């Protein structure tokens, strides 16, 4: 656990000593190496666990669709939220950022109109990432309530037993 405001871990360690970037997530491997960047950590964990349902094998075109979504979520959604958490940023600037994010989420919602998951029928690590990032809108906007396909999708993902268990373990509501 990391207090992101103070950059201290639960044990009191300066988190920047563990990750000079100063942000989460961070995964320490058995050999002491550390991975930062959520999409890379997710890929590592899928490959290590042999979860080809979550991330298909190298060379499979389906893999590159998952990675394409991972890149979009990372660069266009995740990064778009970061400034909204900055209390020093002017509200008019935040309004512009919310508008841009709303447009990107509208596009995502359009993609979900004819399918249950980002990459078709099966749940992948891209779905997990989109679910997590989308939840930030509850905290800082934009309001995504009018995006019907996205809302149906988020409800389906949120109803998955593993997702419910993960949220509960973090003390979060569905």
């Amino acid at each position: 656990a990391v207090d992101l405001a103070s950059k201290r871990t639960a044990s009191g360690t300066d988190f920047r000593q563990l990750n000079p970037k100063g942000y989460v997530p961070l995964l320490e491997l058995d050999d002491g190496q550390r991975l930062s960047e959520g999409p890379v950590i997710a890929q590592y964990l899928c490959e290590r666990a042999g979860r080809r349902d979550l991330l298909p094998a190298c060379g499979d075109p389906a893999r590159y669709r998952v990675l394409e979504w991972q890149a979009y979520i990372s660069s266009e959604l995740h990064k778009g939220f970061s400034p909204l958490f900055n209390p020093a940023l002017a509200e008019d600037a935040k309004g512009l950022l919310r508008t841009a994010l709303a447009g990107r989420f509208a596009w995502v919602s359009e993609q979900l109109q004819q399918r249950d998951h980002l990459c078709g029928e099966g749940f992948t690590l891209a779905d997990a990432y989109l679910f997590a990032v989308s939840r930030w809108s509850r905290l800082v906007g934009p309001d995504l309530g009018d995006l019907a396909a996205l809302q149906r999708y988020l409800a389906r993902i949120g109803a998955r037993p593993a997702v419910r268990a993960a949220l509960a373990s973090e003390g979060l509501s569905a």
Side-chain angles (χ1 to χ4, degrees), residues 1-9 14-16 22-24 85 87:
V2 178
D3 179 322
L4 295 176
S6 69
K7 304 292 185 196
R8 295 269 170 210
T9 67
D14 181 346
F15 183 64
R16 289 168 292 212
Y23 57 80
V24 296
F85 287 101

Side-chain angles (χ1 to χ4, degrees), residues 65-137:
R65 289 293 172 209
V66 173
L67 295 177
E68 181 178 41
W69 273 108
Q70 288 287 91
Y72 181 83
I73 296 164
S74 181
S75 64
E76 301 303 321
L77 301 177
H78 186 150
K79 260 322 192 198
F81 274 107
S82 297
L84 296 176
F85 287 101
N86 182 347
L89 186 63
E91 193 55 42
D92 58 337
K94 288 183 179 183
L96 293 172
L97 294 168
R98 286 184 189 105
T99 298
L101 274 172
R104 292 176 185 132
F105 274 107
W107 179 81
V108 170
S109 190
E110 288 173 22
Q111 306 312 300
L112 291 166
Q113 286 179 7
Q114 302 301 317
R115 55 185 175 213
D116 288 341
H117 297 92
L118 291 173
C119 296
E121 293 305 313
F123 179 86
T124 69
L125 62 91
D127 294 298
Y129 192 20
L130 179 60
F131 180 80
V133 170
S134 296
R135 291 175 54 85
W136 299 342
S137 68

